[in-house]
Structures are given as C-alpha cells and as structure tokens.
C-alpha cells in the first residue's frame, strides 16, 4: 500500500425490504438495517479488499442503520480497529416529513415549490424534480428551507474532519458511515476548482474514496458512488 491518506465515505445499507412502504428516513427515524442492508455492508468490505484497502479507523453516525453498516464492514475485516460515533454524520431531520411515506413527501415538496399545480400527480412530479436538484446540486427544496443552517454548516464539518484525518491518521485509511443527506457534502473537502460528480448522491450501500498523497495537503476524489 502507498503512503497516501484515504477517507472512505459510506452510505448505510438498505432499511426497507421489497414491498415495504418507503419512508423519508431522517435523523428522528432510527430504524435498523434489513438483512440485505447488512449484506451490503459486507459487500462494501469486499470492494475495499479488491482495491487493496483496509480501514485503520471507523466512524459512524449514532443511528442504528449507520452503526450496523459500520459493524458489518469492520467484522468482514475481523477488525478491532477503533470505532467512534460522530454527531455531525447524523442524517438531516426532515421535520414533519421525517418518517412519512415517500410518496406523500413528494407531493408535499411539490406543493411548496413555486407555481405548484393543483393536480396531485403533477405536484408529486414537481417534488421529484426538487429532489433531483437536491441530489445534483445540493439545493434544498422550498419545504426544507428550515434545514439551511445545518446544510450550510456541513461543508465546514467535513473540512474539519478531513483536517483531523490528516493530522491524526496521515498515511492511513479512515472510514466514515453516514446517510445520503450528509454524504454529499463530503465533496466540499475538495479544492474549489476540482470537478464534482454529475450527481452528488451516494446510492444505498455505496461509497466514495478521497485521497491525499504524501507530498500534498489537498484532497482528490479517487472514486464516487462505487
């Protein structure tokens, strides 16, 4: 293994089985992984092995789904490496939408967008468009503008964590398990001129890898949405 420092950002595994009503899962909806979700954690470990990577330290949001994903990854390595919960990795709290059926949430999102149609189906379509902007550009839907302060803080949270990673674990591999709403802001540790992926979203059970080589203090993106 080279002497580069790596930060691996993982989105937790599945929390719903096929046929379940899909909910908007935020900070206040603390549900466990499904058996498939646990399997995805082990698959992340396998993909890391294929890349010659082995985490030296593990971090996770203090929620069941992130902790369990972290546990599955670590156990696949049969590791006793340190693991710690970090509050800043906790998913956004979606307020009244947290824990509600996703179809219902989409309509509510569309209802709050400018020039919202009266037709229910069209409102849901507009809500989907608002969510696509959130995934592609980190632009909050109008209904979630109350999250602006938290969202504005997340880039700095990630930069501080990345700086701590270089300070305390230079030359090592650090793994952090979080949720979709938080993971996208990890890209803000990159230099401003660095290209971003077309979609900021990490799929369920997928990960991104940031690299900082021994000679520099700037991060580059090695992989995203793997």
């Amino acid at each position: 293994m080279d002497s580069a420092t790596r930060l691996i950002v993982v989105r937790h595994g599945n929390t719903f089985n096929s046929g379940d009503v899909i909910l908007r899962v935020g900070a206040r909806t603390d549900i466990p992984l499904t058996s498939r979700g646990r399997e995805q954690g082990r698959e992340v470990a396998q993909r890391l092995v294929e890349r010659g990577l082995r985490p030296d330290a593990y971090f996770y949001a203090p929620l069941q789904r992130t902790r369990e994903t972290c546990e599955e990854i670590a156990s696949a390595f049969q590791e006793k490496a340190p693991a710690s919960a970090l509050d800043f990795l906790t998913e956004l709290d979606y307020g009244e939408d947290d824990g509600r059926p996703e179809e219902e949430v989409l309509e509510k999102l569309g209802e709050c967008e400018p020039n919202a149609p009266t037709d229910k189906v069209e409102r849901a379509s507009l809500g989907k468009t608002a969510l696509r902007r959130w995934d592609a550009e980190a632009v909050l839907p109008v209904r979630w503008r109350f999250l602006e302060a938290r969202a504005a803080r997340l880039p700095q949270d990630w930069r501080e964590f990345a700086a701590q990673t270089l300070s305390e674990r230079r030359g090592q591999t650090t793994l952090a398990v979080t949720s979709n709403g938080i993971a996208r802001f990890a890209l803000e540790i990159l230099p401003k001129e660095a290209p971003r992926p077309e979609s900021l979203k990490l799929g369920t059970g997928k990960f991104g890898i940031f690299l900082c080589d021994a000679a520099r203090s700037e991060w580059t993106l090695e992989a995203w949405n793997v």
Side-chain angles (χ1 to χ4, degrees), residues 57-68:
Y58 297 81
F59 295 88
Y60 58 91
L63 293 168
Q64 291 183 78
R65 57 192 182 271
T66 43
R67 174 178 53 77
E68 290 173 357

Side-chain angles (χ1 to χ4, degrees), residues 51-125:
R51 291 171 174 266
L53 299 176
R54 187 185 191 93
D56 298 288
Y58 297 81
F59 295 88
Y60 58 91
L63 293 168
Q64 291 183 78
R65 57 192 182 271
T66 43
R67 174 178 53 77
E68 290 173 357
T69 302
C70 188
E71 288 172 349
E72 292 295 338
I73 297 170
S75 65
F77 284 103
Q78 298 183 336
E79 279 289 359
K80 293 186 179 180
S84 303
L86 288 180
D87 286 341
F88 98 87
L89 295 173
T90 304
E91 178 62 297
L92 301 172
D93 184 333
Y94 294 104
E96 294 179 358
D97 293 335
D98 214 307
R100 303 300 301 167
E102 190 72 359
E103 288 188 3
E104 178 183 313
V105 171
L106 288 174
E107 185 188 350
K108 293 291 186 182
L109 292 179
E111 188 178 71
C112 294
E113 292 295 306
N115 303 314
T118 56
D119 181 76
K120 182 177 180 178
V121 174
E122 291 180 0
R123 286 201 303 271
S125 178

Side-chain angles (χ1 to χ4, degrees), residues 165-180:
T165 297
L166 287 176
S167 174
E168 299 179 4
R169 294 178 296 279
R170 183 175 284 275
Q172 299 182 16
T173 296
T174 297
L175 183 142
V177 184
T178 185
S179 301
N180 181 37

Side-chain angles (χ1 to χ4, degrees), residues 3-5 170 211-218 220:
S3 59
T5 306
R170 183 175 284 275
L211 178 148
C212 188
D213 65 37
R216 304 177 65 188
S217 59
E218 286 188 346
T220 58

